Amino acid sequence: MVFDSPKAVVEALTGADYLPDERIAQVVFLAERLDKPVLVEGPAGVGKTELAKAVATITGRPLIRLQCYEGLDDAKALYEWNYKKQLLRIQSDVDHDWDSISHDIFSEEFLLARPLLEAIRSPEPVVLLIDEVDRIEVETEALLLEILSDFQVSIPELGTMHATTQPMVFLTSNNTRELSEALKRRCLFLHIDYPDANREKEILSARVPGLSDHLAKQVAQVARSIRGLDLKKAPSVSETIDWARTLLALSVEDVDEEVLGDTLHVLLKYQTDIEKAAKEFTSSTQA
Ligand SMILES: Nc1ncnc2c1ncn2[C@@H]1O[C@H](COP(=O)(O)OP(=O)(O)OP(=O)(O)O)[C@@H](O)[C@H]1O
Ligand SMILES: [Mg+2]
């Protein structure tokens, strides 16, 4: 599916229950037009991973996900040889014709494709999500560069495999470390921040069935003011969603001081933050 404007992207994403702001929609639009990967960066729980999933939904493409972690290597990201199968092939060869065996066992039949190669080889266009790329070591980033700039993978025994269809690539980062210039240069950059109260209200309405408009608005506003405090960890969108669900489960109709005090632990995960928010809320209502 091709979008003819960023506005069309907004409509499609909204239809898939992902509420984008204008910048998000514009970058998704450009990613498709320019065939460029997108590097999505921002705090935890603001919808980075979810964006790639929503784009897969609206484009009807399968989602292939590479979850990054410290120690990820090319055998887990790109491909590895199926040693067991290779061994069986060697054992079953009665003629010991080594030339023919080695030719055989380094063919595609003996290759185990990992997410990056899988995305390149897919006969239908996919969305490739390289999630939490900042968790891999900077040296390991090199293994992504060929895919990101040329949409190809080189396998010494087989040669270069080119993508038959153009994948849409999303990389996400929580910014735990600086990414290399080489990687950044290949991508469109998208920073996602906490939504404004209006968009968060819409997100809540889309994600929490049964939530009243009034409560959605209150939750979004309280979340916004709590984020304004100097906290160890500000509440993310996923936490405001959890909080809205909690209020719904407790049949709360209005967020007052008591409700807030009783449920702040759903929104905040550090005792010092909970105490700070409780204090702030009480003093501001008394003022
Ligand atoms: N714009 C949005 N529209 C709809 N839902 C959203 C939006 N942003 C966030 N959410 C909700 O917040 C949840 C968390 O989003 P997601 O997992 O994508 O966060 P993240 O940015 O990838 O966080 P982390 O850095 O912790 O991986 C999603 O499951 C979704 O329900
Ligand atoms: Mg994520």
Side-chain angles (χ1 to χ4, degrees):
M1 182 165 175
V2 182
F3 299 100
D4 57 16
S5 65
K7 198 162 164 281
V9 177
V10 172
E11 280 163 19
L13 284 173
T14 305
D17 285 342
Y18 188 91
L19 285 302
D21 59 14
E22 277 176 21
R23 175 53 53 84
I24 296 175
Q26 186 213 45
V27 173
V28 170
F29 173 74
L30 290 176
E32 209 229 16
R33 278 299 158 101
L34 309 179
D35 287 332
K36 282 267 234 178
V38 181
L39 172 61
V40 192
E41 173 245 68
V46 290
K48 300 183 296 295
T49 302
E50 198 69 17
L51 174 63
K53 292 186 189 168
V55 169
T57 305
I58 63 172
T59 52
R61 295 172 175 226
L63 178 79
I64 295 181
R65 179 176 186 165
L66 173 66
Q67 178 61 52
C68 297
Y69 52 87
E70 209 184 317
L72 178 78
D73 58 7
D74 48 1
K76 290 285 168 284
L78 280 167
Y79 67 89
E80 61 188 325
W81 291 105
N82 188 339
Y83 300 120
K84 212 167 149 190
K85 202 169 164 189
Q86 285 179 324
L87 204 63
L88 286 170
R89 166 74 182 84
I90 295 167
Q91 283 168 345
S92 70
D93 191 274
V94 281
D95 306 330
H96 300 295
D97 177 358
W98 181 243
D99 278 351
S100 125
I101 296 175
S102 62
H103 182 262
D104 250 27
I105 63 172
F106 291 109
S107 63
E108 281 203 57
E109 191 196 333
F110 293 84
L111 203 59
L112 293 172
R114 300 302 179 209
L116 299 181
L117 182 61
E118 206 188 316
I120 290 292
R121 288 210 304 188
S122 167
E124 54 177 329
V126 300
V127 170
L128 171 64
L129 166 62
I130 303 176
D131 214 8
E132 306 188 357
V133 69
D134 50 333
R135 290 201 190 184
I136 58 173
E137 295 79 2
V138 69
E139 304 77 49
T140 319
E141 278 182 21
L143 120 194
L144 302 173
L145 299 181
E146 197 183 5
I147 298 247
L148 298 180
S149 48
D150 302 320
F151 298 103
Q152 67 179 39
V153 171
S154 300
I155 302 178
E157 297 85 349
L158 289 178
T160 304
M161 290 190 163
H162 299 274
T164 41
T165 54
Q166 189 82 29
M168 276 183 91
V169 186
F170 289 85
L171 300 101
T172 76
S173 163
N174 276 336
N175 244 339
T176 55
R177 69 166 173 84
E178 195 62 33
L179 300 170
S180 74
E181 286 303 321
L183 189 135
K184 286 199 233 169
R185 205 169 49 235
R186 286 163 170 82
C187 301
L188 296 173
F189 179 71
L190 173 63
H191 176 81
I192 304 188
D193 213 333
Y194 299 114
D196 61 27
N198 212 10
R199 188 159 68 91
E200 189 152 22
K201 178 194 159 273
E202 286 173 27
I203 294 173
L204 290 166
S205 301
R207 297 281 163 152
V208 187
L211 190 70
S212 73
D213 238 38
H214 170 70
L215 203 53
K217 205 167 165 181
Q218 273 194 328
V219 167
Q221 273 164 356
V222 173
R224 181 121 199 111
S225 44
I226 287 184
R227 282 188 199 123
L229 304 175
D230 179 23
L231 301 173
K232 219 165 159 176
K233 165 78 181 64
S236 66
V237 178
S238 24
E239 279 144 353
T240 43
I241 291 176
D242 285 345
W243 191 42
R245 289 204 178 112
T246 303
L247 300 177
L248 201 62
L250 297 175
S251 308
V252 167
E253 283 168 12
D254 253 311
V255 180
D256 56 22
E257 208 176 298
E258 195 187 337
V259 168
L260 190 66
D262 279 351
T263 55
L264 264 179
H265 59 277
V266 181
L267 213 45
L268 297 166
K269 302 294 157 66
Y270 288 93
Q271 188 56 27
T272 48
D273 287 351
I274 295 174
E275 281 162 14
K276 199 179 252 182
K279 199 167 140 217
E280 196 63 33
F281 193 79
T282 321
S283 52
S284 67
T285 48
Q286 279 170 353

